[in-house]
Structure formats: structure tokens, C-alpha cells
Amino acid sequence: MDRNLPIGILDSGVGGLTALSPMQKLLPDESVIYFGDSLRMPYGNRPKEEIVFYAQKMIDYLQDKGVKAILLACNTISSHIDSLHSDVKLFSIVEAGCMAAKETVKNSSLGIIATCATVESGVYEKMMAKTCPEITLTLNSSKSLPKVIDSQIENTVLLNEKIRECIDPIIREDSAIKDLILGCSHFPIISEEINSIYPSLHLIDPAVKQVEMLKEYLTQNDLTNLSKRTITLYTTAETYEFAAAIKRLKLEIDTLMKVELV
Ligand code: DGL
């Protein structure tokens, strides 16, 4: 394996850009090729067969470009990691979220917000039962919040309404919840908005742990980059949707391009 190959990151849209923030802090010398299928998002409202079909196409695209590892930044895609094929190591954001919860959650109640497909897959319950069986989970999904974040983030009234619709039922069901896993990669983009409505809620962004796990893998296998770093983003939709998220997350990138996923 060539250690100077980039890291592949894939997501249904702009959400996986939240993995680029910890990348730029923890692995600032690594090159990245990012693929976001904004044209087809939300994946979270699609059946498993379609999620796996398009996710596999993105993995194949990244492998054709040449990558040394792939971060599945999308929880909805990570829910079906067992159905995906790759020659390079795939890192699941769901696994990272559960590891992060194990390390940070102090009480026995935990909330998770995610897409409909992620919640319906039962992946968080299964994995948390293995990593922290003592924690009681309360999950809720949103059909529309990821899409609002992807393409209407400036509509604050709509955004706040969708946030409340998603989180209020969790707090009502278990008022002891102090920690909330952002189980959809789009949600950390609106951490500030969530915390201004729920100031005492501790938000867990699984992408941070995912990048820590990647760093450990690269270091242990002598795969850290020694060449010049480049950050390339591909989207299947119009690039202006990405531009808003890039600005919000204060990311440094070299190339942003619209491509087709065939
Ligand atoms: N990025 C996806 C995730 O993390 C959510 C967005 C979608 O529904 O496409 O689950």
C-alpha cells in the first residue's frame, strides 16, 4: 500500500464534511478525496438495497481514484457496512459513535438522533448492547432534518422547528438524558443551533472518534502521508450547496467539483 495515497471519505451529501474538521486537527498532513452524493440524498428515507447500491458505487469510485482507507462518514451507510465490499479498510461512524459514548457518557441514559433508515436498521442498539450494555437508549429519527441541513440551512425558522420535532420526544421519554449522539453526519453541522435550544445537552459527534481510530490505524501500519497534502471534494449536485457547509465549518479545501456517479 502506498502511504502517500489520500483518505477517502464518503457521505450521502455534505454531512461527511464534519469528518474533515477533526481530520484537519488530528491528521493535518493527510490528503483527502471526499465524495458526497447530494443529488440522491436523503439516503435515510431509502430502502436498504438502494443505500447499499449507491454506497458501493461511491466506494468503487474512491478506490478507482486510489485511496488507502475509507471513512464511511454517513451513519445510514455505516448501518449496512456488512453488505459493502472494499479492498481498503472501511471505518464505520456508527462503531465510532458507540466507542465515543463508552468513553464519555457518565449516566445510564443516552439519546440518539439519526435518519429513519439508521433507526430502523437497529444498528445502534446492537452495537451499544456489545460496547455499553448498561446504558438505556432512546432513539428518534427525522425524515426531513438532514435535507434541510443539506440544502436549506439558512432557513432558521424551519431548521429550529425540525430540531425540536426530532429532539423533544427523546427528552419527554427520558428526562434523565444528558448526552445525545448525533447519529447522522449532517447533525454536527448544526451543533450550535441544537445547543442554543438545549443548552445543557452534551452532544457527541462520532466523527471525532472515527478520525482518532483512523489515526491509530495509519500510525500503527506506517501509512501516514509524507507527500504534499491536497483536499478534493466531489459532489453529484450543484457545488453551491457544499460551499455553504464549507464556510460554516471553516474548512480549507483545494478543489470542489460536480461529478456524475454512474
Ligand atoms: N449522512 C446521513 C447519515 O449520516 C444522513 C443524510 C441522509 O439521509 O442522506 O445518516
Side-chain angles (χ1 to χ4, degrees):
M1 173 92 70
D2 176 359
R3 66 184 304 159
N4 295 327
L5 286 172
I7 302 299
I9 302 181
L10 63 82
D11 190 76
S12 59
V14 299
L17 293 177
T18 52
L20 271 182
S21 301
M23 277 291 294
Q24 293 189 351
K25 281 195 197 91
L26 295 172
L27 289 168
D29 299 326
E30 293 300 322
S31 293
V32 171
I33 300 183
Y34 180 100
F35 198 104
D37 191 11
S38 283
L39 181 69
R40 289 178 193 84
M41 83 86 52
Y43 275 35
N45 300 341
R46 291 179 182 273
K48 177 185 171 181
E49 297 67 37
E50 284 181 25
I51 295 165
V52 169
F53 181 78
Y54 291 116
Q56 189 61 54
K57 276 185 179 291
M58 283 195 267
I59 291 172
D60 295 346
Y61 189 99
L62 290 172
Q63 289 202 119
D64 285 350
K65 292 276 174 200
V67 289
K68 60 186 171 191
I70 296 177
L71 299 186
L72 301 179
C74 179
N75 290 256
T76 307
I77 292 172
S78 296
S79 304
H80 301 300
I81 191 167
D82 293 342
S83 305
L84 298 168
H85 311 286
S86 169
D87 295 335
V88 297
K89 188 167 168 59
L90 299 176
F91 288 81
S92 156
I93 190 113
V94 173
E95 187 187 345
C98 294
M99 298 294 288
K102 189 183 161 89
E103 287 168 11
T104 57
V105 175
K106 300 281 180 288
N107 69 354
S108 59
S109 295
L110 173 66
I112 301 180
I113 50 172
T115 64
C116 302
T118 300
V119 172
E120 278 158 24
S121 76
V123 68
Y124 268 106
E125 286 98 327
K126 273 183 235 145
M127 202 158 280
M128 286 294 287
K130 278 192 219 145
T131 46
C132 359
E134 65 289 356
I135 292 180
T136 306
L137 301 182
T138 306
L139 294 96
N140 198 22
S141 59
S142 173
K143 230 180 158 127
S144 47
L145 185 53
K147 185 70 188 169
V148 172
I149 297 166
D150 219 75
S151 50
Q152 290 182 67
I153 198 155
E154 312 302 343
N155 187 340
T156 340
V157 175
L158 180 67
L159 189 64
N160 287 341
E161 182 192 315
K162 294 296 166 192
I163 292 172
R164 283 204 171 87
E165 241 174 58
C166 187
I167 301 179
D168 277 0
I170 291 191
I171 311 290
R172 268 202 304 273
E173 195 169 321
D174 185 351
S175 57
I177 286 175
K178 302 268 179 295
D179 302 274
L180 182 74
I181 292 189
L182 303 176
C184 166
S185 59
H186 283 66
F187 296 162
I189 298 177
I190 53 155
S191 290
E192 271 180 30
E193 284 84 352
I194 296 176
N195 267 147
S196 58
I197 302 174
Y198 307 94
S200 58
L201 210 49
H202 169 243
L203 306 180
I204 301 172
D205 174 1
V208 178
K209 186 68 197 169
Q210 192 184 32
V211 173
E212 283 173 11
M213 290 162 89
L214 171 67
K215 185 174 180 175
E216 200 179 317
Y217 170 75
L218 295 180
T219 312
Q220 280 176 1
N221 292 285
D222 292 326
L223 284 173
T224 49
N225 183 38
L226 302 174
S227 64
K228 186 181 176 299
R229 182 198 76 156
T230 56
I231 308 289
T232 306
L233 311 185
Y234 295 116
T235 172
T236 50
E238 297 309 322
T239 52
Y240 68 81
E241 288 181 5
F242 264 62
I246 289 165
K247 195 168 151 213
R248 205 169 233 261
L249 294 168
K250 299 187 182 77
L251 299 174
E252 291 162 27
I253 62 143
D254 298 300
T255 312
L256 170 61
M257 206 187 288
K258 182 179 173 185
V259 293
E260 271 184 53
L261 188 63
V262 283

